[in-house]
Amino acid sequence: MQLLKRHRTVGVKVGHVQVGGGAPIVVQSMTMTDTADARSTAQQCIELAEAGSEMVRITVNVMEAAAAVPEIKQRMLDAGCTAPLIGDFHYNGHLLLTKYPDCARALDKYRINPGNVGTGKRRDEQFSTICKVAVDHAKPVRIGVNGGSLNQELVVAKMQENTDGDLGKSSEDIINECMVLSAIESTALAIESGLRTDQIIISCKTSRPRDLIAVYRALARQTEQPLHLGLTEAGMGTKGLVWSSAAMGVLLSEGIGDTIRVSLTPRPNGDRREEVYAACELLQSLALRAFSPSVTACPGCGRTTSSTFQELAERIQDYIREMMPTWKTTHQGVETMTLAVMGCIVNGPGESKAANIGISLPGTGEEPSCPVFIDGKHAMTLHGTYDELAAEFQRLVDDYVEHNYARR
């Protein structure tokens, strides 16, 4: 298959972030706090941004949420967080944005779901109202079509057309076709309502990887608008990670996608930042972006009955995540650093030599010594307890960052 251009021709500015038009692919995420609680929502926005989310979306569903948006934005700015703030609107966005102009001004982008702005003639009128607010405040919009909230009038019409014409299309094919058609028609209406092409981003999200791939391939052929990519309702844990990566990895490798979100369902009281880490790792695995030093670690086998290498790999990974908000502002290029924490002699020395800093821990029955390699050369051999090894290896990482990445 011929690869498409890496980015859409059209570029859109969202706050200070460029989307499309040759810009790097942007990571975004969404809070799960009650937006009306400005303090907790702003705090989660800040945490997501520090984890690597370059834009953060909040739901704006009720009057109290709309009223809280200016305070959320100000709290973010007061904390030094400049990540663009996106408002997610369904059903009543036309009312909230017109009734709360301070909310409209504070947001950096509006997300509109064409399937959830009304029915019949009112749908177009209310969609147009949101677009005109965006025009008045010079804000971009994302026209975000979702498989689970698609315009049912359009679906019914296309189903009937399929039956009457004996076209032989499956229901999945028709839904996918309707999603793309809804996005393209809504983009035309947005432009008719006064928005410029450089104010419009498009998405068409489904919850099934094969459908997502088909929809975005079709969408990419029909528009040059920047595309936001994501498998919606991906699910929890391993399932959500695998399904999202399977779908988005294919599309990203074909040059499709200008912003991405990995929509993971968190465990109860889980860490919302996991979806940000996943999105960053996905882009980094495809060599499309570099966000954080990568840690190579072996999966373990009968040669690694000790858990030391697992504990050290986890400790170093956590340490890197803790330090990155500081490092990325103080040390240019640190996100390209590579580390290896290996568990035995089979692949340990080789992988350690291939990393900027690597340690090969002793496997079962091996001599209790830990050779450390820095930039491919054996630098030293460590001995001692786990805590001593971990502290020394962490010190070596700090030293490498300080001496190999220029201070900003």
Side-chain angles (χ1 to χ4, degrees):
M1 175 178 293
Q2 184 178 3
L3 296 185
L4 297 168
K5 294 188 290 292
R6 169 59 57 197
H7 302 278
R8 304 287 84 197
T9 299
V10 177
V12 175
K13 287 285 279 187
V14 182
H16 67 280
V17 175
Q18 174 82 6
V19 177
I25 298 167
V26 176
V27 170
Q28 68 172 270
S29 56
M30 187 173 186
T31 60
M32 57 183 300
T33 55
D34 178 359
T35 306
D37 183 346
R39 182 186 296 272
S40 64
T41 301
Q43 182 58 40
Q44 189 163 91
C45 288
I46 294 164
E47 291 171 356
L48 292 169
E50 289 181 343
S53 184
E54 295 160 302
M55 297 193 290
V56 181
R57 182 157 49 110
I58 59 175
T59 189
V60 186
N61 57 334
V62 294
M63 292 185 291
E64 292 80 4
V69 167
E71 182 182 346
I72 293 168
K73 182 67 174 179
Q74 191 58 54
R75 284 179 176 273
M76 292 172 65
L77 293 173
D78 289 346
C81 179
T82 60
L85 186 65
I86 303 164
D88 196 60
F89 295 95
H90 298 271
Y91 310 112
N92 59 354
H94 60 294
L95 297 175
L96 295 176
L97 284 168
T98 51
K99 187 172 181 179
Y100 294 89
D102 288 346
C103 167
R105 280 189 289 270
L107 292 169
D108 294 290
K109 185 177 75 171
Y110 314 149
R111 183 279 175 108
I112 318 172
N113 184 338
N116 286 343
V117 293
T119 58
K121 184 179 179 181
R122 291 185 61 197
R123 178 179 60 248
D124 288 354
E125 291 175 351
Q126 291 167 183
F127 180 91
S128 183
T129 295
I130 299 174
C131 292
K132 289 174 181 176
V133 172
V135 171
D136 291 342
H137 294 284
K139 305 292 184 178
V141 302
R142 171 161 68 92
I143 296 171
V145 180
N146 267 36
S149 53
L150 190 57
N151 175 3
Q152 289 305 299
E153 295 172 19
L154 177 61
V155 174
V156 170
K158 285 295 180 181
M159 290 285 189
Q160 190 63 49
E161 179 184 292
N162 183 58
T163 300
D164 293 343
D166 195 21
L167 303 179
K169 297 179 181 178
S170 68
S171 59
E172 289 81 7
D173 290 339
I174 294 171
I175 292 294
N176 293 349
E177 180 184 345
C178 287
M179 291 185 68
V180 175
L181 184 59
S182 175
I184 297 300
E185 289 182 346
S186 297
T187 299
L189 179 56
I191 292 171
E192 183 182 319
S193 301
L195 282 171
R196 304 183 309 272
T197 56
D198 65 354
Q199 289 178 279
I200 302 170
I201 298 169
I202 301 175
S203 68
C204 286
K205 292 187 177 183
T206 76
S207 58
R208 295 177 296 274
R210 289 182 64 182
D211 289 336
L212 192 82
I213 292 168
V215 165
Y216 271 87
R217 283 174 173 169
L219 189 61
R221 287 192 292 267
Q222 297 184 46
T223 182
E224 284 296 333
Q225 298 302 133
L227 302 179
H228 170 66
L229 185 60
L231 188 78
T232 191
E233 293 107 26
M236 298 184 74
T238 301
K239 186 263 186 184
L241 289 169
V242 171
W243 283 40
S244 291
S245 298
M248 290 195 283
V250 169
L251 292 168
L252 289 166
S253 69
E254 294 178 3
I256 300 173
D258 296 283
T259 76
I260 70 166
R261 180 191 176 200
V262 177
S263 300
L264 296 180
T265 303
R267 292 181 175 82
N269 300 313
D271 190 343
R272 188 60 156 185
R273 295 173 298 179
E274 289 299 325
E275 69 172 39
V276 180
Y277 299 141
C280 293
E281 291 290 354
L282 176 57
L283 292 178
Q284 196 152 336
S285 73
L286 296 171
L288 295 171
R289 294 283 306 273
F291 292 93
S292 176
S294 61
V295 180
T296 298
C298 67
C301 68
R303 290 176 175 270
T304 57
T305 53
S306 167
S307 63
T308 302
F309 81 98
Q310 297 163 287
E311 293 166 4
L312 181 57
E314 182 177 42
R315 179 164 170 169
I316 288 299
Q317 182 68 72
D318 289 345
Y319 181 66
I320 287 170
R321 288 179 175 174
E322 176 189 334
M323 293 302 298
M324 270 310 293
T326 299
W327 282 348
K328 69 183 179 182
T329 63
T330 59
H331 291 82
Q332 187 173 356
V334 67
E335 64 276 2
T336 64
M337 182 170 67
T338 57
L339 300 97
V341 178
M342 304 300 293
C344 81
I345 198 171
V346 173
N347 292 320
E351 290 286 357
S352 296
K353 289 177 184 177
N356 293 128
I357 309 178
I359 185 170
S360 181
L361 297 170
T364 303
E366 294 178 15
E367 181 183 346
S369 61
C370 308
V372 174
F373 298 83
I374 298 178
D375 290 331
K377 297 179 180 179
H378 180 217
M380 64 195 71
T381 299
L382 301 180
H383 301 85
T385 66
Y386 164 72
D387 285 336
E388 291 170 337
L389 290 173
E392 180 60 16
F393 192 66
Q394 185 171 304
R395 186 193 67 76
L396 291 171
V397 171
D398 286 336
D399 185 69
Y400 192 92
V401 170
E402 187 62 33
H403 289 92
N404 289 273
Y405 298 100
R407 282 196 166 269
R408 294 182 184 274

